[in-house]
Amino acid sequence: MTLTNTTAPRRIRRLAERQTTDRDALFALLDGELVGHLAAVVDGQPVIVPMGYARDGDHVLVHGSTGGGFALRAAAERATVAFSVTALDGLVFARSLFDSSMNYRSAVVYGVLEPVDDEQSEAALLALSDRLMPGRAAEVRAITRKEAAATRVLRLALDDVVMKARAAGASEDLDDGEDHSVWAGVVPLVRTWGAPVPSRSTPAHTPTPDSVVALTTGSLAEHRLP
């Protein structure tokens, strides 16, 4: 299944062999990261903002304040935006700086942001929360009407996407002329959650909630950073 719009497919020009059209690979990337970058042109100037997000089926969900923000303006103007997500999986140490590289997975989604309607807004906010802090919604009070009214959820369809990835070792050949006594290889990047730090106003001996325990111990492995 292609990731790109079939009416106007996007093609990677440099190192085109690294382009992937595997939709499962796209979903794995989006589900494994927590922050993406939303870009648009506002008043003739480029604007890019990092933000938390969640994948909901074939859409990416983001949210912002109804009080303003370029994302809401872009949605109102039906302007095309770009949303990028990148996972750095490791550094590739070659026997020259020129040949050194990174192992990574990166995707850019193009399209028009669509506001989530009022009937689905609370469910979308809960989907965002459950992606970033799985299980937390059941441990805290419900969203108030005022909070819901101050927040707008936008979605971006995963219809026009280009993805690129590298997952390989250092480029080398036995007769490449390099000094093979110099170490070459890959250093994987592994990220984990640290020990929870309670707020200053949290009473001593307050139990750590299940959502935090699950996140930091990896019992919800699908929500851990890769």
Side-chain angles (χ1 to χ4, degrees):
M1 182 183 295
T2 181
L3 300 182
T4 52
N5 189 323
T6 55
T7 61
R10 299 180 187 272
R11 295 288 181 263
I12 290 176
R13 297 182 180 181
R14 186 175 184 277
L15 300 175
E17 70 277 5
R18 294 184 184 175
Q19 182 170 359
T20 177
T21 57
D22 181 350
R23 201 162 186 82
D24 288 338
L26 171 67
F27 289 171
L29 168 62
L30 296 177
D31 294 346
E33 297 298 309
L34 300 177
V35 175
H37 289 78
L38 182 67
V41 176
V42 179
D43 295 332
Q45 297 295 320
V47 178
I48 185 166
V49 174
M51 57 179 60
Y53 71 93
R55 180 180 69 87
D56 183 22
D58 291 322
H59 290 81
V60 166
L61 300 178
V62 297
H63 76 292
S65 169
T66 55
F70 83 98
L72 290 178
R73 180 173 173 180
E77 295 176 354
R78 305 289 298 169
T80 298
V81 301
F83 185 77
S84 70
V85 176
T86 300
L88 177 61
D89 296 323
L91 293 178
V92 181
F93 286 68
R95 293 187 175 88
S96 71
L97 295 181
F98 180 83
D99 289 325
S100 296
S101 187
M102 294 179 175
N103 281 342
Y104 63 89
R105 291 162 293 138
S106 179
V108 180
V109 186
Y110 300 90
V112 175
L113 291 166
E114 301 282 353
V116 174
D117 60 43
D118 293 339
E119 291 75 17
Q120 299 176 325
S121 181
E122 184 172 347
L125 284 171
L126 290 175
L128 272 163
S129 170
D130 198 55
R131 174 64 193 97
L132 300 172
M133 296 177 289
R136 185 59 171 168
E139 300 169 344
V140 296
R141 63 168 175 78
I143 300 170
T144 67
R145 289 185 179 182
K146 181 177 180 180
E147 290 168 343
T151 309
R152 198 59 184 263
V153 181
L154 304 169
R155 67 179 187 172
L156 183 62
L158 297 173
D159 292 336
D160 186 2
V161 185
V162 62
M163 182 173 177
K164 189 176 182 181
R166 185 189 193 279
S171 300
E172 60 181 354
D173 292 302
L174 292 177
D175 58 353
D176 58 13
E178 300 288 354
D179 180 359
H180 283 243
S181 66
V182 175
W183 188 90
V186 176
V187 180
L189 176 61
V190 179
R191 295 174 293 171
T192 60
W193 298 106
V197 180
S199 72
R200 290 182 296 177
S201 62
T202 299
H205 310 301
T206 299
T208 303
D210 290 343
S211 63
V212 175
V213 173
L215 187 70
T216 56
T217 61
S219 54
L220 285 176
E222 68 273 21
H223 293 289
R224 292 185 68 190
L225 290 175

